[in-house]
Amino acid sequence: MPAFVRAWGGAGRDDDWAGRVRSELALDLPDEDIGEDLDDCLDLYEMGSKPRCEEAEYLGLLQDARDRIAWGR
């Protein structure tokens, strides 16, 4: 099988994985508007805009989801 076909097939699996992780995150944070790019969510977040315990949980869940997508697990 040509390399470009293998690469394309792998990309689809990566997109499926990322979508599943984002779906799980949306279930964990139903009141939040989570975009496609979790790095943007983290970069654009304004510290102090939530109560401290909610803020820590929110940021932790975003970072965990971003890391899961990056590492594929």
Side-chain angles (χ1 to χ4, degrees), residues 25-40:
L25 184 62
L27 290 174
D28 288 339
L29 300 169
D31 297 334
E32 301 296 330
D33 185 19
I34 304 298
E36 289 290 315
D37 189 350
L38 298 180
D39 287 327
D40 282 349

Side-chain angles (χ1 to χ4, degrees), residues 31-67:
D31 297 334
E32 301 296 330
D33 185 19
I34 304 298
E36 289 290 315
D37 189 350
L38 298 180
D39 287 327
D40 282 349
C41 291
L42 287 166
D43 291 342
L44 299 174
Y45 179 75
E46 292 184 31
M47 295 301 286
S49 64
K50 296 181 183 300
R52 187 178 301 181
C53 62
E54 287 181 26
E55 185 170 73
E57 180 182 14
Y58 173 78
L59 294 173
L61 287 170
L62 282 176
Q63 290 171 345
D64 181 55
R66 182 189 61 186
D67 292 345

Side-chain angles (χ1 to χ4, degrees), residues 1-30:
M1 180 179 312
F4 71 91
V5 173
R6 284 193 306 269
W8 183 83
R13 284 186 300 240
D14 290 345
D15 290 343
D16 291 345
W17 173 251
R20 187 167 57 197
V21 171
R22 282 192 293 273
S23 293
E24 290 173 6
L25 184 62
L27 290 174
D28 288 339
L29 300 169

